[in-house]
Amino acid sequence: MVMVRERARETRGSGARQRLTARDWADAALAAMGEGGLAAVAVEPLAARLGTTKGSFYWHFTNRDALIEAALERWEESRTEAVIAELAEEPDPGARLRRLFVRGTHRAAEDPLEVSLLASAADPRVAAALARVTDRRIGHIAALYAELGFPEDEAQRRGLLAYTTYLGHAQLSHAVPGTLPAGDARDRHLDAVLETLLRPAGTTGTSPDVREVSPDTRASESAAERG
Amino acid sequence: MVMVRERARETRGSGARQRLTARDWADAALAAMGEGGLAAVAVEPLAARLGTTKGSFYWHFTNRDALIEAALERWEESRTEAVIAELAEEPDPGARLRRLFVRGTHRAAEDPLEVSLLASAADPRVAAALARVTDRRIGHIAALYAELGFPEDEAQRRGLLAYTTYLGHAQLSHAVPGTLPAGDARDRHLDAVLETLLRPAGTTGTSPDVREVSPDTRASESAAERG
DNA sequence: CCATGACCATACGCTACCGTATGGTCAAAA
DNA sequence: TTTTGACCATACGGTAGCGTATGGTCATGG
């Protein structure tokens, strides 16, 4: 089963032969990681998938660990950029937080990479990357809460809770998707969650004086996104 | 750590060996799973750890899959019993929910087994076990909310949110423990989270009319528990 | 007292993967 | 045109684990 390698040599610049770069390998590693976790980042299967052999890999990387590190680095920066891209749009911090949460959960439901990384947190490199990204994200969410008028410690606490909720949601949507509402009900659920996360504190008590959640600021954005 | 194997009858040099049961293997598998995930449930390392050989294992089990299934079954029922044990104590549903949440998060922080299982949710057997346990737990929490007076759909929604929060918290405490407050601050954080999860709905709005969280019903129970 | 069967040890072949060694190919530089 | 060096193919040896085969040991019942 030899691959038909097309040698379409463009006359200029981009050496259009099927030669690979270290980044190609890192991307493939990330993809494999999303599908099978850290253990799926294996040189020989990746080589087969890329239509090449180990000879190529060991030219670009000293060993498998180096590949893992490169992949994590790539993930980390791409995620940071994605978050920053989210930031730039909305002027209203409340709407920013809503969009952040909704798009984050949507993406987590589709893309297993993030959950896979969490699942591989036993590895110290993965743990380090996760720690950096997590800190940055929680800090960012806390800043949004602060912008909304919450005092610093309360903003920090709520940022942590919001991110905790996001993580749990991502976990559920991947491991036990049946528990989560689907379709319209999903957006309604997310709205209710956001309502809970944003509701001001102060009315302590367990007695449920329950009324309808007023649907004035729905956050349903059923949009597919790219990264 | 590993227990000292008592060799009951030592009248003859070093001949007398301890015989194992299938349950011993299942327990060892669960322990290994907590430490290294599903991949750590490997016959030969387990045999070494148990001070025996593969010969013993393949007497009690047909193959590795059978061991995994047995271990999961054992986990599932032990967890169910644990939850039921929690149930029986408190008469007040609000306090039950608090204790459930606090003890759950405490245990998750100490025992990596649950997080490891989540990390191995790619395996269909693990996914099935997780699905059963998750459904039962969410149902139980929702029932507590219902007992507190929330209407059925709201109780369901809040049960899901509470469990989502638990999962995210467990995940964080394992993967990025630095983000979570420690010591006293942890209990305060948990109290605040519970306050948020139990607060009645209805006061929609983003404007933070923030006051102090009244510390009338603290849920600090720094107790070690057994399973 | 020996025969049986439950239980364990050991040796073997198999697969998947890691990493090395070494030679092949091909575009561009010399 | 020859040479160079970046890039890839292939063969090799090593390790870890799965599963099988087969024989060893020991308690108990006949």
Side-chain angles (χ1 to χ4, degrees):
Chain A
M1 25 209 247
V2 180
M3 295 289 147
V4 182
R5 321 261 314 269
E6 48 185 30
R7 40 190 77 195
R9 45 162 116 178
E10 312 287 71
T11 47
R12 209 44 244 190
S14 54
R17 196 170 175 272
Q18 190 61 12
R19 291 169 108 95
L20 300 174
T21 74
R23 205 148 77 198
D24 293 329
W25 282 97
D27 286 340
L30 267 187
M33 211 152 167
E35 294 164 21
L38 192 58
V41 181
V43 176
E44 279 157 306
L46 278 185
R49 196 148 103 167
L50 287 173
T52 183
T53 64
K54 308 183 347 171
S56 168
F57 173 79
Y58 283 100
W59 173 259
H60 295 288
F61 294 91
T62 69
N63 56 16
R64 179 176 173 260
D65 276 355
L67 173 64
I68 290 172
E69 235 162 275
L72 286 176
E73 211 166 299
R74 198 148 166 59
W75 169 74
E76 206 172 329
E77 77 182 31
S78 83
R79 284 298 119 174
T80 312
E81 288 175 30
V83 169
I84 290 177
E86 293 296 330
L87 246 172
E89 299 175 2
E90 277 287 336
D92 177 47
R96 275 223 295 279
L97 200 124
R98 290 184 103 89
R99 295 198 54 160
L100 205 59
F101 192 78
V102 172
R103 286 192 62 170
T105 48
H106 279 209
R107 152 157 290 179
E110 293 163 8
D111 186 3
L113 175 57
E114 188 126 353
V115 175
S116 274
L117 280 172
L118 280 169
S120 309
D123 184 282
R125 304 163 204 281
V126 177
L130 277 176
R132 285 189 291 270
V133 168
T134 302
D135 282 344
R136 247 177 272 160
R137 289 180 182 177
I138 293 180
H140 178 235
I141 301 176
L144 286 181
Y145 272 111
E147 241 185 290
L148 282 169
F150 290 92
E152 192 52 44
D153 59 338
E154 178 72 11
Q156 189 66 32
R157 193 169 293 171
R158 283 182 180 242
L160 179 54
L161 174 58
Y163 194 70
T164 299
T165 307
Y166 158 72
L167 275 187
H169 198 93
Q171 202 71 47
L172 267 186
S173 73
H174 185 252
V176 201
T179 57
L180 291 175
D184 274 4
R186 187 206 32 196
D187 288 334
R188 282 203 306 277
H189 176 69
L190 283 187
D191 280 328
V193 168
L194 275 162
E195 206 271 332
T196 301
L197 290 176
L198 284 170
R199 199 182 307 139
T203 61
T204 314
T206 314
S207 58
D209 177 21
V210 185
R211 272 168 289 170
E212 270 301 305
V213 173
S214 78
D216 51 352
T217 45
R218 286 290 305 277
S220 317
E221 349 190 321
S222 316
E225 60 254 18
R226 288 253 45 81
Chain B
M1 283 310 190
V2 185
M3 53 240 62
V4 184
R5 317 258 321 274
E6 58 221 348
R7 32 193 71 193
R9 211 171 289 271
E10 271 278 80
T11 48
R12 279 262 299 274
S14 63
R17 284 271 170 181
Q18 173 83 355
R19 321 283 275 189
L20 299 175
T21 74
R23 238 208 341 240
D24 294 328
W25 282 97
D27 287 339
L30 267 187
M33 211 150 166
E35 295 163 21
L38 192 57
V41 182
V43 176
E44 279 156 304
L46 278 185
R49 193 147 106 169
L50 287 173
T52 183
T53 63
K54 310 187 336 178
S56 168
F57 173 78
Y58 283 101
W59 172 260
H60 295 288
F61 294 90
T62 70
N63 56 18
R64 178 175 173 262
D65 276 356
L67 172 64
I68 290 172
E69 235 162 275
L72 286 176
E73 212 165 298
R74 199 150 164 58
W75 168 74
E76 206 173 329
E77 77 181 32
S78 83
R79 285 298 120 174
T80 312
E81 288 174 30
V83 169
I84 290 176
E86 292 296 329
L87 246 172
E89 298 176 2
E90 277 288 336
D92 177 46
R96 277 223 294 279
L97 201 130
R98 290 185 102 88
R99 295 198 52 160
L100 205 60
F101 192 79
V102 171
R103 287 193 60 170
T105 49
H106 280 210
R107 152 159 291 178
E110 293 164 8
D111 186 3
L113 175 57
E114 188 126 354
V115 174
S116 274
L117 280 172
L118 279 169
S120 308
D123 184 282
R125 304 164 205 281
V126 177
L130 277 176
R132 286 189 291 271
V133 168
T134 301
D135 282 343
R136 248 177 271 158
R137 290 180 181 176
I138 293 181
H140 178 235
I141 301 176
L144 286 180
Y145 273 110
E147 242 185 290
L148 282 169
F150 290 93
E152 193 51 45
D153 59 339
E154 178 72 10
Q156 189 66 32
R157 193 169 292 170
R158 283 180 180 243
L160 179 54
L161 174 57
Y163 194 70
T164 299
T165 307
Y166 158 73
L167 275 188
H169 198 93
Q171 201 71 48
L172 267 186
S173 73
H174 184 252
V176 201
T179 56
L180 291 175
D184 275 3
R186 183 197 45 184
D187 288 336
R188 282 203 306 278
H189 176 69
L190 284 187
D191 280 328
V193 169
L194 276 162
E195 206 271 331
T196 300
L197 290 176
L198 284 170
R199 197 181 308 139
T203 59
T204 313
T206 313
S207 56
D209 178 20
V210 186
R211 273 166 289 171
E212 269 302 304
V213 173
S214 79
D216 51 352
T217 45
R218 285 290 305 276
S220 318
E221 351 190 321
S222 315
E225 60 254 19
R226 292 250 46 81

